[in-house]
Amino acid sequence: MMQIARNAVAAFHYTLTDDQDQVIDSSAGRDPLTYLHGSGQIVPGLEKQMEGRSTGDKFSAEVTPEEGYGVHQSELMQEVPRDAFQGVEDIQPGMQFQGRGPQGEINVTVTKVEDDKVFVDGNHPLAGKTLYFAIEVTDVREASAEELEHGHVHGTGGHQH
Ligand code: ZN
C-alpha cells in the first residue's frame, strides 16, 4: 500500500479541536481535504505527522503553535484611531479589515472598540493555540507530472483547470 511521502497526493478527513475539547473545524459532511505532500499546504506539524501513513490509517496529531499557526505576537495587536476607518459607520468586535503589518498586508480582527479607539489583532485566529487533530487518511496516490509542476492538486478537492 502506498505511503504518504514527498510528492504524494493525500486525502484525509479531520476534526480539529483545541485544548478545551472544543471543535474548531471539521471536514465531517464535506469532501476530505486533499493536498500535495511536502508543499506546505497544511500546517507543518500536521504535514510531518502525515508522513508514512497510508489509506485507512486513523490517528491523533498534536501540533504546537510553533508548528501550527504560529505563536501569538503581541506586536500585531494595535490600537488604531477611529478616524483610520473612514467610511465604516459601525465598527464592531469581530469585524475584519486589511491592515499593514511588519511584513506587509495582514488581516486584522477588531477585538474591542472604546470611544475613538479601535483595538485590532493581526494574529491568525489560531495563533498561540495547540491544535489537536483526529485524522483519517482516505486516499494516497502519486502526484501527476503536471501537479508537481504546478505545485498543487488537480481534480477532486483540488484545482479545476
Ligand atoms: Zn494546476
Side-chain angles (χ1 to χ4, degrees), residues 30-108:
R30 288 189 269 145
D31 285 336
L33 189 70
T34 303
Y35 78 104
L36 177 62
H37 190 76
S39 64
Q41 284 161 0
I42 59 175
V43 294
L46 180 59
E47 188 162 53
K48 223 181 259 181
Q49 296 180 63
M50 292 294 286
E51 185 97 22
R53 310 283 181 176
S54 42
T55 304
D57 280 1
K58 291 184 186 182
F59 64 98
S60 305
E62 186 179 327
V63 174
T64 61
E66 289 80 2
E67 293 195 307
Y69 291 97
V71 294
H72 196 271
Q73 297 173 268
S74 53
E75 65 268 30
L76 294 181
M77 301 189 68
Q78 289 174 16
E79 191 187 307
V80 183
R82 177 73 177 78
D83 294 349
F85 295 84
Q86 300 238 345
V88 187
E89 299 239 323
D90 190 22
I91 299 178
Q92 297 287 344
M95 288 174 85
Q96 296 195 319
F97 295 93
Q98 281 267 309
R100 205 176 296 274
Q103 264 107 43
E105 295 275 292
I106 52 167
N107 284 313
V108 301

Side-chain angles (χ1 to χ4, degrees), residues 6 56 118-119 132 155 157:
R6 189 165 181 79
V118 179
F119 296 83
Y132 300 86

